[in-house]
Amino acid sequence: MSRRCELTGKGPMSGNNVSHAKNRTRRRFLPNLQDVSLRSDVLGRTFKFRISNAALRTVDHRGGLDAFMAKAKDAELSAGALKVKKEITKATA
């Protein structure tokens, strides 16, 4: 299972651990991923995603999965999320 958000594409970043003596060793900053089920009002069913906590807040802020997918860029979405977006756009048209 990859450590990448399915809706925003946010993934691991790299940086340094810095000790008090200024010794630097490489480390990874992992995104805060959660397994969630989001409901589509247009399709009337739920979808399981592995998304970051920031993406979950954005979905709530925009008013649900349907509104988020309407504004989402295709390049950032995973393959599964892209299929859901196409289903939602087909159902609303």
Side-chain angles (χ1 to χ4, degrees), residues 27-45:
R27 63 162 290 181
R28 285 173 46 135
F29 294 95
L30 300 176
N32 184 10
L33 296 179
Q34 308 294 328
D35 292 318
V36 296
S37 296
L38 298 175
R39 182 165 178 78
S40 170
D41 295 329
V42 173
L43 299 176
R45 50 187 276 231

Side-chain angles (χ1 to χ4, degrees), residues 31-68:
N32 184 10
L33 296 179
Q34 308 294 328
D35 292 318
V36 296
S37 296
L38 298 175
R39 182 165 178 78
S40 170
D41 295 329
V42 173
L43 299 176
R45 50 187 276 231
T46 60
F47 298 95
K48 286 190 158 216
F49 292 111
R50 189 157 193 244
I51 63 173
S52 64
N53 201 36
L56 184 60
R57 290 178 50 146
T58 306
V59 169
D60 288 340
H61 178 74
R62 288 191 184 168
L65 181 63
D66 301 329
F68 179 87

Side-chain angles (χ1 to χ4, degrees), residues 79-93:
L82 201 54
K83 287 181 185 177
V84 173
K85 180 180 178 178
K86 288 181 181 179
E87 285 183 38
I88 291 172
T89 53
K90 187 187 288 186
T92 56

